[in-house]
């Protein structure tokens, strides 16, 4: 570091809501003969630890008032922070008005985000909006040439180490880095407040939208090695990859994050308390196998059997605690990630033998019925939409064919349509006895998706040593309506006996007639589930 960049620190302002590491910080500053100005709880904690503190009210000769709303916003504070030390007029003003320089500002903010997350009422949330803190942080960050600003306890050690190394001075490099972090913090804080306030007013899409996140991980690369990437967490409390605990394995990659999120959201559709064990295996954000079972290992085996080729290098999501029997089956092939609510000790020991296999435990499942906001970036802006958190209830299903589905067909139809919601459009899903037997995803025409799914069902049968395609006797789900009868007829030709689809095509009558001619049962949901 250049010696000309160094700025001496003789006085610090310390006012923190999060008091992590405060006493150690205070002792270090005192050992460096740095005067400490402080307020309220921060001053009390430092004083009780035997550290000399000057109360801000004593420094300004102006009392704290209005329940602490007025205390640090005073010319002796912001003048001491904002003054340019190399500007003669500024120095003269400081002398004329007895304004002492403040060289180090250590401030963190009222816990507004945490207060909102706890479900506090409107008034309590308002009272936890910091006013003086953001202003003082911005004062200090603007004057980075002379003032060091710290907004996170994680940065205390870096500042103290440099002060010790340089004899009580900080470098321009460190001050600029901390100033950038300060602006990011106040920006995120204001974003949280504005988004919360918009929600209180019932504004789903406010005129000005602010997005903020905290970097959790810098990734090796993005979707491809030539793309850089990072993972940021936001203030959403939804159970997911961001909140999961990684028990073992390599760091998650960009594609791992994306695929694991898709896997967990899908398997969460099947509540273990009411539906029983479920497993979803995902590859490139699409399910290659999903199944229910009498046990978790049976659910995994049935999901794996749907497409044993694509499952290689896939993501396995489970809706209940991973047990040893299931773990034994999963580790038979190369798997990138397992995500589950929990894992028992025997299962963990089995997974531990595969040191690169990532095991993520979530402590629960996200609620598929809870709303939320999905954001997609595009050139010049964002597309914002509600989370697709709905499914057609059984009473709302409309039978439109001469034959109604029997009880098993209806159960499989609902299961298939739930899965189709999580398949890239155009989506076709064949299901038999609570397990996928063929999935067609992401095709430009629906009939091609139907043909691919049927082909997959033949491959699954062949792998199992059978000659009859598994789609025979299955049901089929389509994420959107059949625009022509050809897609439905392809499903009938594959051996499907019942169909579930949204309906709404100009040719619905033609499609219904074709279903009747083929002896199919068909129900309409009235709800589309495109996914792109």
């Amino acid at each position: 570091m250049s010696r000309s960049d160094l700025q001496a620190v003789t006085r610090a302002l310390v006012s923190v809501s999060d008091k992590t590491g405060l006493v150690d910080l205070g002792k270090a500053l005192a050992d460096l003969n740095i005067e400490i100005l402080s307020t309220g709880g921060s001053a009390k904690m430092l004083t009780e630890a035997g550290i000399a503190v000057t109360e801000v009210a004593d420094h300004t000769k102006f009392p704290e008032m209005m329940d602490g709303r007025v205390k640090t916003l005073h010319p002796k504070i912001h003048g001491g922070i904002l003054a340019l030390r190399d500007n003669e007029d500024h120095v003269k003003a400081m002398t004329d008005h007895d304004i002492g320089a403040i060289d180090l500002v250590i401030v963190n903010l009222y816990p507004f985000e945490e207060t909102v997350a706890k479900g506090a009422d409107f008034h309590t949330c308002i009272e936890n909006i910091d006013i003086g803190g953001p202003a003082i942080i911005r004062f200090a960050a603007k004057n980075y040439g002379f003032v060091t600003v710290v907004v996170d306890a994680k940065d205390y050690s870096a500042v103290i180490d440099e002060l010790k190394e340089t004899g009580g001075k900080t470098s321009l490099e460190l001050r600029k880095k901390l100033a950038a972090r300060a602006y990011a913090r106040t920006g995120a804080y204001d974003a949280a407040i504005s988004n919360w306030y918009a929600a209180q007013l019932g504004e789903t899409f406010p005129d000005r939208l602010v997005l903020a996140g905290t970097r959790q991980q810098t990734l090796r690369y993005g979707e491809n090695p030539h793309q850089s990437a990072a993972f940021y967490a936001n203030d959403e409390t939804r159970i997911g990859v961001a909140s999961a605990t990684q028990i073992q394995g390599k760091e998650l990659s960009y594609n791992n994050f994306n695929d694991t999120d898709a896997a967990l959201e899908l398997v969460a559709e099947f509540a273990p308390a009411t539906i029983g064990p479920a497993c979803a295996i995902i590859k490139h954000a699409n399910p290659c196998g999903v199944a229910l079972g009498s046990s978790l290992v049976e659910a995994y085996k049935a999901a794996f059997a749907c497409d044993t080729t694509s499952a290689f290098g896939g993501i396995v999501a489970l809706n209940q605690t991973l047990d040893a029997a299931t773990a034994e089956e999963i580790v038979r092939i190369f798997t990138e990630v397992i995500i589950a609510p929990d894992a028992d000790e025997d299962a963990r020991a089995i997974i531990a033998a595969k040191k690169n296999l990532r095991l993520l435990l979530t402590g629960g499942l996200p609620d598929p019925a809870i709303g939320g906001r999905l954001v997609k970036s595009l050139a010049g802006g964002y597309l914002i939409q509600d989370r697709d958190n709905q499914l057609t209830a059984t009473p709302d299903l409309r039978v439109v064919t001469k034959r109604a589905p029997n009880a098993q067909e209806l159960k499989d139809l609902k299961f298939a349509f739930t899965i189709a919601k999580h398949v890239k459009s155009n989506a076709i899903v064949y299901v038999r006895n609570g397990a996928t037997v063929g999935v067609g995803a992401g095709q430009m025409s629906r009939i091609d998706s139907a043909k691919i799914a049927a082909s997959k069902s033949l491959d699954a049968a062949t792998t199992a040593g059978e000659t009859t395609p598994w789609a025979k006797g299955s049901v089929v789900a389509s994420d959107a309506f059949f625009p022509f009868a050809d897609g439905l007829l392809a499903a009938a030709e594959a051996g499907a006996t019942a169909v579930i689809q949204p309906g709404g095509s100009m040719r619905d009558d033609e499609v219904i007639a074709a279903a009747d001619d083929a002896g199919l049962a068909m129900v309409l949901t009235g709800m589309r589930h495109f996914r792109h």
Side-chain angles (χ1 to χ4, degrees), residues 253-275:
S253 70
Y254 181 97
N255 293 324
N256 290 155
F257 271 108
N258 191 49
D259 291 352
T260 305
D261 178 71
L264 183 64
E265 290 292 338
L266 195 167
V267 84
E269 297 276 6
F270 310 113
T274 56
I275 296 178

Side-chain angles (χ1 to χ4, degrees), residues 217-222 225 227-229 250-253 358:
Q217 184 180 330
T218 300
L219 306 176
R220 284 173 51 208
Y221 52 80
Q227 295 171 271
S228 57
K250 297 188 295 183
E251 281 194 343
L252 293 172
S253 70
R358 304 160 180 90

Side-chain angles (χ1 to χ4, degrees), residues 44 90 110 162 189 213 260 268 278 329 335 338 348 442 451 461 508:
K44 184 174 184 290
H90 287 207
Y110 291 175
E162 185 162 289
Y189 195 73
T260 305
E329 286 297 321
T335 299
I338 302 171
R348 294 187 193 207
K451 290 177 179 178
D508 270 356

Side-chain angles (χ1 to χ4, degrees), residues 279 281 291 295-306 308 325-326 329 332 470:
C279 173
I281 305 174
S295 65
L296 201 59
V297 67
E298 292 305 316
Y300 171 76
K301 287 179 178 179
F304 176 69
C306 178
T308 57
T326 309
E329 286 297 321
R332 291 179 185 274
W470 281 7

Side-chain angles (χ1 to χ4, degrees), residues 231-250:
F231 173 64
Y232 285 78
N234 59 24
D235 59 0
E236 187 178 22
T237 57
R238 187 178 185 84
I239 293 172
V241 180
S243 62
T245 300
Q246 184 168 347
I247 302 301
Q248 69 156 68
K250 297 188 295 183

Side-chain angles (χ1 to χ4, degrees), residues 392-405 410 413-414 481 499-505 508-509 512 521-527:
T392 305
T394 300
D396 296 324
L397 296 177
R398 186 162 60 96
V399 178
V400 293
T401 47
K402 294 175 182 177
R403 184 176 79 80
L410 183 59
L413 286 169
K414 290 163 60 181
F481 62 65
V499 181
I500 186 169
Q501 56 127 333
S505 167
D508 270 356
D509 289 345
I512 293 168
M522 185 162 68
V523 298
L524 303 185
T525 67
M527 183 179 294

